[in-house]
C-alpha cells in the first residue's frame, strides 16, 4: 500500500485518538487498550514499509503518549507525584533531548564569549558583573578569602533566598520563551556571558581552582537553568514551527510541555539551594575528595535523569511495543 493511501485510510482514527489524549478525555480502559493495539499495529506497519517517514515519527509520538496514559491508568492507586517523576516525565522528555542539546551548545557558546572577552579585556568583567561585585571580590582575594561572599548570612536564610531566586530565574527563562524564543535566548546568553566572565576573572588572578567551591552548588544550578531555557525554547519554537497543528494549538501544546519541563526542575533547584546555603560556605575547608565527589555526583544526577534514564525508559517502551506486535 502506498503511504498516502495508508494515511488516508487511518487518518481519521489517529486524529480522533490524538484529540482524546490531548484533551484528557475519559476513555474506558478496555477501549483505550484496544485503540492502543490498533495504533501499535499501524506503527509496526509503518516501521516496515515507510521507514524514516513523517508518518512513522507521528505514529511513534502518538503511541508514546498513549502508552503513558495507559501506564498511569494502571497505577491509579499509586502516588501521581512519584509516577510523574519516575515514568511520565522521563518518557515525555525523550522527545525534547535534541532541544536540550541545542540549548546547552548555545549556552556554552555564550560562556566562551564571556571568558574570551574577559581574558582579552580586563574591563569587560566590570561591565558584566558590575563594579561593586568585582571590587568586593578583589578585596576578598587580597584577604585570602575569595569565597567569603558565600559565608555571609544564616544557613536557612541563604538556602531560602537562593532557592527562591534560582526558581525565579528558571521561570523567567521559560516564560520569556513566549516572545518567539528570543526572550529565552537572551536569558541564556546573558547568564552564559556572566558565567564565562566570572571563570576568566578568577583565572586572571591565578585562583581558578578556587571555583571548585562554587561548582558544589553551581553544577546543578547552572544545569537546571539550561533545562529551564530548554523549556522556554520548546514553548517558543512551538509557535514558530507548528508542524501539522494550527499555531494556536501548537503553542498551547508547547506551553504545556514547557511547563512540565520547568516543574521537573523544582526539586533540583531546591537541592542546589540547600548545597549553597549549607555546604558551599565550608567548601574551602572541605577535603578535595569530598568536594569533587559532590560535584561529580551532582553532574551524574542531572545527566542520568535528563539524558540516560529517558533513553533507557524509551528503549524499554519500544521493546514492549515489539512484543505486543509479535
Amino acid at each position: 500500500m502506498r503511504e498516502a493511501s495508508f494515511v488516508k485510510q487511518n487518518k481519521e482514527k489517529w486524529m480522533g485518538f490524538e484529540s482524546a489524549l490531548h484533551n484528557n478525555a475519559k476513555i474506558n480502559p478496555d477501549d483505550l487498550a484496544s485503540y492502543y493495539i490498533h495504533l501499535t499495529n499501524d506503527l509496526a506497519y509503518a516501521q516496515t514499509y515507510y521507514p524514516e517517514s513523517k508518518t512513522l515519527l507521528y505514529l511513534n509520538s502518538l503511541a508514546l503518549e498513549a502508552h503513558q496514559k495507559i501506564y498511569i491508568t494502571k497505577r491509579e492507586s499509586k502516588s501521581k507525584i512519584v509516577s510523574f517523576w519516575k515514568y511520565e516525565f522521563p518518557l515525555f522528555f525523550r522527545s525534547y533531548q535534541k532541544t536540550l542539546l541545542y540549548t546547552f551548545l548555545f549556552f556554552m557558546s555564550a560562556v566562551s564569549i564571556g571568558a574570551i572577552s574577559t581574558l582579552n579585556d580586563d574591563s569587560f568583567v566590570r561591565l558584566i558583573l558590575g563594579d561593586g561585585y568585582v571590587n568586593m571580590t578583589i578585596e576578598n582575594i587580597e584577604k585570602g578569602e575569595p569565597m567569603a561572599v558565600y559565608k555571609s548570612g544564616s544557613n536557612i536564610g541563604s538556602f531560602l533566598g537562593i532557592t527562591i531566586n534560582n526558581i525565579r530565574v528558571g521561570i523567567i527563562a521559560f516564560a520569556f520563551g513566549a516572545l518567539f524564543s528570543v526572550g529565552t535566548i537572551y536569558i541564556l546568553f546573558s547568564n552564559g556571558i556572566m558565567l564565562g566572565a566570572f571563570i576568566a576573572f578568577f583565572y586572571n588572578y591565578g585562583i581558578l581552582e578556587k571555583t571548585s567551591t562554587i561548582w558544589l552548588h553551581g553544577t546543578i544550578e547552572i544545569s537546571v537553568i539550561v533545562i529551564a531555557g530548554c523549556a522556554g525554547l520548546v514553548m517558543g519554537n512551538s509557535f514558530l514551527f507548528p508542524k501539522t497543528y494550527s499555531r494556536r494549538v501548537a503553542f498551547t501544546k508547547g506551553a504545556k510541555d514547557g511547563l512540565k519541563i520547568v516543574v521537573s526542575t523544582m526539586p533540583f533547584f531546591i537541592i542546589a539551594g540547600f548545597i549553597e546555603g549549607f555546604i558551599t560556605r565550608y567548601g574551602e575547608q572541605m577535603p578535595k575528595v569530598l568536594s569533587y565527589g559532590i560535584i561529580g555526583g551532582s553532574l551524574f544526577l542531572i545527566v542520568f535523569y535528563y539524558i540516560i534514564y529517558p533513553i533507557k525508559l524509551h528503549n524499554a517502551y519500544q521493546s514492549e511495543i515489539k512484543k505486543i506486535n509479535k
Side-chain angles (χ1 to χ4, degrees):
M1 183 187 301
R2 296 179 63 181
E3 183 179 357
S5 299
F6 175 68
V7 172
K8 184 177 181 180
Q9 179 179 315
N10 296 285
K11 182 179 179 180
E12 186 175 342
K13 175 181 62 178
W14 299 337
M15 292 184 68
F17 191 29
E18 180 182 22
S19 178
L21 290 173
H22 287 173
N23 295 324
N24 293 319
K26 295 294 183 181
I27 306 176
N28 181 284
D30 292 334
D31 291 338
L32 182 61
S34 177
Y35 294 151
Y36 181 65
I37 291 173
H38 283 295
L39 180 62
T40 53
N41 286 337
D42 291 340
L43 175 60
Y45 188 88
Q47 288 173 331
T48 301
Y49 296 101
Y50 319 118
E52 306 301 326
S53 68
K54 291 184 178 180
T55 301
L56 177 59
L57 292 175
Y58 169 76
L59 290 176
N60 194 53
S61 175
L62 186 57
L64 176 59
E65 290 187 56
H67 180 269
Q68 291 181 24
K69 195 172 185 70
I70 292 171
Y71 200 89
I72 293 171
T73 301
K74 287 182 177 180
R75 289 162 173 77
E76 289 179 341
S77 61
K78 290 190 175 182
S79 169
K80 290 185 178 180
I81 296 178
V82 172
S83 179
F84 172 81
W85 265 281
K86 191 174 182 180
Y87 301 108
E88 182 181 348
F89 176 78
L91 276 171
F92 151 82
F93 190 70
R94 175 67 179 89
S95 61
Y96 289 118
Q97 287 185 329
K98 187 175 289 186
T99 304
L100 177 62
L101 174 61
Y102 295 149
T103 307
F104 172 75
L105 292 176
F106 177 81
F107 181 80
M108 291 308 298
S109 297
V111 172
S112 299
I113 292 172
I116 293 172
S117 298
T118 301
L119 291 174
N120 289 280
D121 183 359
D122 291 339
S123 64
F124 183 79
V125 70
R126 292 182 176 276
L127 176 66
I128 299 301
L129 300 180
D131 287 330
Y133 181 83
V134 172
N135 290 335
M136 177 190 67
T137 304
I138 291 174
E139 289 178 9
N140 291 334
I141 291 173
E142 291 173 348
K143 294 176 183 177
E145 295 185 346
M147 299 300 163
V149 66
Y150 294 101
K151 299 177 182 179
S152 60
S154 65
N155 290 348
I156 295 178
S158 298
F159 162 59
L160 293 176
I162 290 163
T163 301
I164 292 172
N165 181 67
N166 288 343
I167 291 175
R168 181 184 65 83
V169 173
I171 291 176
I172 290 175
F174 162 64
F176 275 28
L179 303 174
F180 313 113
S181 294
V182 175
T184 294
I185 289 174
Y186 169 76
I187 295 296
L188 289 169
F189 186 76
S190 59
N191 278 273
I193 290 286
M194 284 191 288
L195 177 61
F198 179 84
I199 293 173
F201 173 55
F202 272 70
Y203 175 82
N204 285 339
Y205 274 86
I207 53 172
L208 183 62
E209 72 281 357
K210 297 292 185 180
T211 59
S212 63
T213 299
I214 299 169
W215 287 112
L216 287 169
H217 63 271
T219 302
I220 293 180
E221 183 180 295
I222 297 300
S223 296
V224 289
I225 287 175
V226 171
I227 293 165
C230 170
L233 294 182
V234 166
M235 177 169 62
N237 290 348
S238 67
F239 183 83
L240 295 174
F241 312 105
K243 297 181 181 179
T244 59
Y245 302 104
S246 67
R247 292 193 185 277
R248 181 183 64 81
V249 173
F251 181 75
T252 300
K253 182 178 183 299
K256 289 180 179 178
D257 288 354
L259 182 59
K260 189 179 289 188
I261 295 172
V262 171
V263 169
S264 78
T265 65
M266 296 304 163
F268 295 99
F269 274 126
I270 293 172
I271 293 172
F274 177 85
I275 293 174
E276 186 169 355
F278 290 90
I279 299 176
T280 299
R281 63 181 62 231
Y282 306 113
E284 292 184 273
Q285 293 79 41
M286 188 182 299
K288 290 297 182 183
V289 173
L290 178 58
S291 178
Y292 289 127
I294 293 174
I295 295 171
S298 298
L299 181 61
F300 175 78
L301 179 63
I302 293 294
V303 171
F304 177 79
Y305 187 70
Y306 285 97
I307 300 176
I308 299 173
Y309 185 55
I311 293 174
K312 291 182 65 175
L313 210 57
H314 177 78
N315 290 341
Y317 150 76
Q318 293 288 0
S319 298
E320 186 175 325
I321 287 181
K322 290 179 181 179
K323 289 179 182 178
I324 292 175
N325 288 309
K326 283 184 178 180

